[in-house]
């Protein structure tokens, strides 16, 4: 019997669907799961009639694979991945390949790639996005790790990935070590930001403009025919029209406490570590944290007798203003995300292709949108682009949307509607385009109380000064360094 092209460990929603996708593309897959009864369940149910074969132990799995063996882990991220690696290594031969397709934190992938290279095992850590449907019919795949492994897995991963309208695979080599998982992490952070922005637009329509679900569904449907054309706007349209058993919109019956599994938080933590002002995504994580304080919010709402005033004026004009605020804020979110990716690429010597990253997100994944094609063009035209908003296409949109964006944010503040992401995006752009910020005051305060020194506008950068502000301090300055 022909041996398997690839083994997949983990038969939950992602593993099962990826296996069926691989099978559709002509690859013979060997399936294994810790709870081995799930292997039989899978073979007798979803995989019935396919070429998928099962394994009931890791030894059995290894035995059934063509060399160099390719084994993909689709299991819970963290210790579980390390445990499977530890069990697999003694069973494998030099040159075999382990692929982790879960949502691992990129420092873990850095470590695993290096540790396994020392043992002669080639490791890939890859982001996979698109949820159940993506896994089944074409996800976005972001592989990084040991570049020696890539030629062996490329036909499989590019074969099963989503394709753009021009039939380009939404999967390419990202970079060494944890680069693939880093890019997937930022993808998830951007997903948090997009979802919060859409929720803010919905909130403004519902509470500010008092729109019905039918009207809101129509508005998002129209948004999806513009530059906002995207998967998340599309599913929002569906969600707004979905009725519960009692005929009411199901979303009205869903508790307003958002969950999170960590990738948005990691993106924010990395932005702080790398010193990148990733304000929108960070706000979107905090917005989920705030939402989860449900009981406290209910109490505080009573205590403050919180009311949201109605927004007066022409509804159609407000809807166009919301659309523009959403679009402009989204540009800022992606601009900040790419600033973070650029900084990581430079600090970790990953040599990332920013246009290539946008292409990988163009199809298959949760943040897929028409707009990512424009991001790819922007980086192809200028690979050194520091701020996406400076690309002519995006700069024009930001300038065209500016007045509506300010109107929507100002009105939200006036009527008491929380709008953390649209507001922080606007404030970021205002800061980024201001040549003199009030940080001179911060420097003066730091020097006043801690002798932290400052640079002067009339001297060269890198020359530091200390002033004895009170006449009581000494002339000894603190050491100057940034963390
Ligand atoms: P889960 O994240 O729910 O993981 C289920 C798998 O992990 C099962 O095979 C389970 O085996 C195994 N597992 C667990 Br849980 N604890 C284990 C342990 N202590 N020892 C050995 N095996 C253990 O599955 P998923 O939602 O399919 O996601 C798989 C990976 O893909 C995750 O890293 C996830 O973050 C990532 N991801 C998920 C999505 C999504 O939309 N769900 C999207 C993109 C990426 P068992 O059957 O024996 O319990």
């Amino acid at each position: 019997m022909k041996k398997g092209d690839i083994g997949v460990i983990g038969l939950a929603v992602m593993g099962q669907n990826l296996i069926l996708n691989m099978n559709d593309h002509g690859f013979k897959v060997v399936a294994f799961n810790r709870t081995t009864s799930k292997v039989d369940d899978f073979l007798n149910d979803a995989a019935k009639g396919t070429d998928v074969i099962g394994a009931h132990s890791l030894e059995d799995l290894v035995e059934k694979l063509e060399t160099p063996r390719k084994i993909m882990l689709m299991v819970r991220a963290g210790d579980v991945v390390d445990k499977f690696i530890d069990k697999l290594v003694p069973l494998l031969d030099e040159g075999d390949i382990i692929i982790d397709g879960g949502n691992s934190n990129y420092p873990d992938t850095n470590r695993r790639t290096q540790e396994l290279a020392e043992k002669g095992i080639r490791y890939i850590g890859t982001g996979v996005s698109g949820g159940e449907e993506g896994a089944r019919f074409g996800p976005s795949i972001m592989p990084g790790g040991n570049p020696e492994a890539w030629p062996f897995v490329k036909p499989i991963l590019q074969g099963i990935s989503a394709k753009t309208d021009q039939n380009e695979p939404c999967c390419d080599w990202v970079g060494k070590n944890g680069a693939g998982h880093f890019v997937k992490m930022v993808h998830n952070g951007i997903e948090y930001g997009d979802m919060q922005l859409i929720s803010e637009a919905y909130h403004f329509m519902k509470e500010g403009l008092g729109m019905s679900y039918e009207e809101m569904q129509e508005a998002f449907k129209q948004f999806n025919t513009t530059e906002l054309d995207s998967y998340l706007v599309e599913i929002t349209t569906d969600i707004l029209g979905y009725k519960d058993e009692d005929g009411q919109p199901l979303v009205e019956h869903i508790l307003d406490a958002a969950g999170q599994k960590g990738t948005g938080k990691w993106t924010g933590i990395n932005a702080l570590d790398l010193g990148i002002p990733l304000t929108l995504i960070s706000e979107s994580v905090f917005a989920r944290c705030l939402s989860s304080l449900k009981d406290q919010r209910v109490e505080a709402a009573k205590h403050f007798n919180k009311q949201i005033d109605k927004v007066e004026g022409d509804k159609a004009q407000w809807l166009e203003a919301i659309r523009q605020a959403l679009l402009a804020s989204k540009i800022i979110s992606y601009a900040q995300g790419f600033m973070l990716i650029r900084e990581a690429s430079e600090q970790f010597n990953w040599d990332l292709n920013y246009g290539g990253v946008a292409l990988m997100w163009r199809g298959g994944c949760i943040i897929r949108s028409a707009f990512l094609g424009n991001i790819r063009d922007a980086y192809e035209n200028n690979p050194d682009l520091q701020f996406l908003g400076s690309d002519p296409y995006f700069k024009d949109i930001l300038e065209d949307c500016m007045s509506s964006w300010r109107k929507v944010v100002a009105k939200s503040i006036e009527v008491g509607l929380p709008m953390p992401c649209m507001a922080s995006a606007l404030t970021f752009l205002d800061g980024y385009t201001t040549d003199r910020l009030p940080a001179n005051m911060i420097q003066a305060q730091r020097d006043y109380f801690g002798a932290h020194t400052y640079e002067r506008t009339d001297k060269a950068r890198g020359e530091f000064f200390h002033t004895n502000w009170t006449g009581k301090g000494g002339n000894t300055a603190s050491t100057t360094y940034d963390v």
Side-chain angles (χ1 to χ4, degrees):
M1 191 168 70
K2 182 184 177 294
K3 289 201 168 187
D5 297 307
I6 184 165
V8 175
I9 298 178
L11 294 181
V13 60
M14 294 300 283
Q16 287 201 14
N17 283 293
L18 281 176
I19 292 172
L20 296 174
N21 186 353
M22 289 169 182
N23 179 76
D24 284 352
H25 285 84
F27 300 105
K28 194 172 176 89
V29 190
V30 187
F32 176 75
N33 193 71
R34 172 185 63 164
T35 310
T36 49
S37 59
K38 292 188 187 170
V39 176
D40 300 318
D41 294 345
F42 179 53
L43 293 177
N44 293 326
D45 185 12
K48 200 176 173 118
T50 67
D51 286 339
V52 179
I53 44 180
H56 290 84
S57 66
L58 290 176
E59 288 79 359
D60 189 21
L61 171 80
V62 167
E63 178 56 33
K64 286 176 170 158
L65 288 171
E66 202 65 75
T67 54
R69 299 179 186 87
K70 296 169 255 340
I71 299 176
M72 184 163 190
L73 298 167
M74 287 309 301
V75 295
R76 196 174 80 196
D79 287 356
V80 177
V81 173
D82 285 312
K83 283 187 186 137
F84 271 117
I85 291 173
D86 289 347
K87 286 183 190 158
L88 280 169
V89 168
L91 308 175
L92 297 179
D93 293 322
E94 204 169 315
D96 284 347
I97 296 163
I98 298 177
I99 308 150
D100 168 24
N103 271 337
S104 293
N105 199 0
Y106 80 96
D108 287 337
T109 308
N110 284 339
R111 169 179 58 77
R112 290 168 186 151
T113 308
Q114 278 155 22
E115 284 173 3
L116 285 168
E118 285 160 21
K119 294 175 182 162
I121 304 296
R122 299 182 279 202
Y123 189 72
I124 286 189
T126 183
V128 178
S129 175
E132 181 176 0
E133 195 188 321
R136 180 66 186 85
F137 299 109
S140 162
I141 306 181
M142 297 150 252
N146 186 336
E148 285 175 24
W150 177 232
F152 296 94
V153 299
K154 183 176 170 179
I156 303 179
L157 295 187
Q158 289 196 336
I160 64 165
S161 76
K163 309 289 179 300
T164 65
D165 299 341
Q166 281 77 41
N167 206 31
E168 298 153 296
C170 296
C171 167
D172 207 349
W173 184 247
V174 177
K176 64 184 178 187
N177 297 323
H181 273 136
F182 189 92
V183 164
K184 171 64 171 29
M185 175 192 76
V186 178
H187 161 284
N188 283 28
I190 288 176
E191 181 182 307
Y192 275 56
D194 278 356
M195 291 165 79
Q196 174 65 24
L197 286 173
I198 290 172
S199 303
E200 290 175 14
Y202 154 71
H203 206 192
F204 193 101
M205 289 179 197
K206 183 168 177 286
E207 301 299 335
L209 297 173
M211 288 170 64
S212 69
Y213 271 84
E214 287 71 26
E215 288 174 309
M216 290 190 286
Q217 190 185 22
E218 196 46 44
F220 276 100
K221 197 168 159 195
Q222 192 273 327
F223 285 6
N224 212 33
T225 63
T226 71
E227 299 96 325
L228 287 169
D229 175 4
S230 62
Y231 172 71
L232 283 168
V233 171
E234 186 188 317
I235 66 166
T236 303
T237 311
D238 283 352
I239 289 168
L240 289 166
Y242 196 96
K243 300 282 190 294
D244 206 355
E245 284 163 4
D246 61 1
Q248 295 301 307
L250 175 58
V251 72
E252 272 297 303
H253 293 164
I254 295 179
L255 190 79
D256 53 325
Q260 47 180 321
K261 285 193 172 165
T263 42
K265 180 179 80 175
W266 292 345
T267 315
I269 291 171
N270 276 284
L272 288 171
D273 278 344
L274 294 172
I276 295 300
L278 192 89
T279 56
L280 191 148
I281 292 172
S282 307
E283 283 289 1
S284 72
V285 179
F286 290 133
R288 289 196 191 191
C289 299
L290 180 65
S291 80
S292 71
L293 303 177
K294 173 73 180 174
D295 294 345
Q296 291 185 40
R297 288 192 289 108
V298 169
E299 272 309 301
K302 279 190 228 141
H303 197 57
F304 282 82
N305 191 23
K306 166 78 179 181
Q307 311 279 343
I308 296 171
D309 297 332
K310 283 279 165 279
V311 172
E312 303 297 339
D314 184 84
K315 210 183 269 178
Q317 280 181 11
W318 273 118
L319 277 180
E320 176 54 16
I322 296 169
R323 190 192 70 80
Q324 293 189 19
L326 183 53
L327 178 60
S329 304
K330 188 174 156 105
I331 293 172
I332 296 303
S333 181
Y334 284 67
Q336 293 179 343
F338 274 92
M339 283 167 110
L340 180 61
I341 290 176
R342 173 182 291 280
E343 186 63 25
S345 178
E346 287 172 4
Q347 287 216 15
F348 307 137
N349 293 315
W350 283 338
D351 197 21
L352 299 186
N353 172 347
Y354 310 114
V357 170
L359 176 69
M360 275 180 260
W361 296 345
R362 176 71 186 80
C365 62
I366 303 299
I367 64 168
R368 63 184 180 263
S369 64
F371 172 94
L372 277 157
N374 302 108
I375 298 183
R376 187 215 188 172
D377 294 345
Y379 283 108
E380 288 216 326
N381 292 338
N382 178 9
D384 296 325
L385 187 65
Q386 282 190 313
F387 173 58
L388 186 65
S390 301
D391 168 79
Y393 172 80
F394 290 109
K395 179 169 176 279
D396 278 354
I397 298 182
L398 287 173
E399 285 175 343
D400 288 349
C401 294
M402 186 64 79
S403 133
S404 297
W405 192 10
R406 289 195 191 286
K407 220 171 87 183
V408 168
V409 170
K411 184 54 77 177
S412 296
I413 289 170
E414 196 186 309
V415 300
L417 263 167
M419 192 165 266
C421 282
M422 289 194 193
S424 75
L426 181 55
T427 291
F428 168 85
L429 187 62
D430 280 334
Y432 192 76
T433 52
T434 297
D435 61 354
R436 186 158 168 82
L437 288 169
N440 49 332
M441 176 56 76
I442 292 170
Q443 287 298 79
Q445 290 166 340
R446 292 177 71 237
D447 192 57
Y448 187 110
F449 66 69
H452 290 295
T453 75
Y454 53 86
E455 292 168 280
R456 291 183 58 98
T457 54
D458 52 1
K459 300 281 184 200
R461 290 295 306 265
E463 211 179 324
F464 289 88
F465 299 87
H466 167 59
T467 294
N468 182 350
W469 295 84
T470 58
K472 294 184 210 138
N475 288 322
T476 311
S478 173
T479 318
T480 303
Y481 54 87
D482 279 327
V483 291

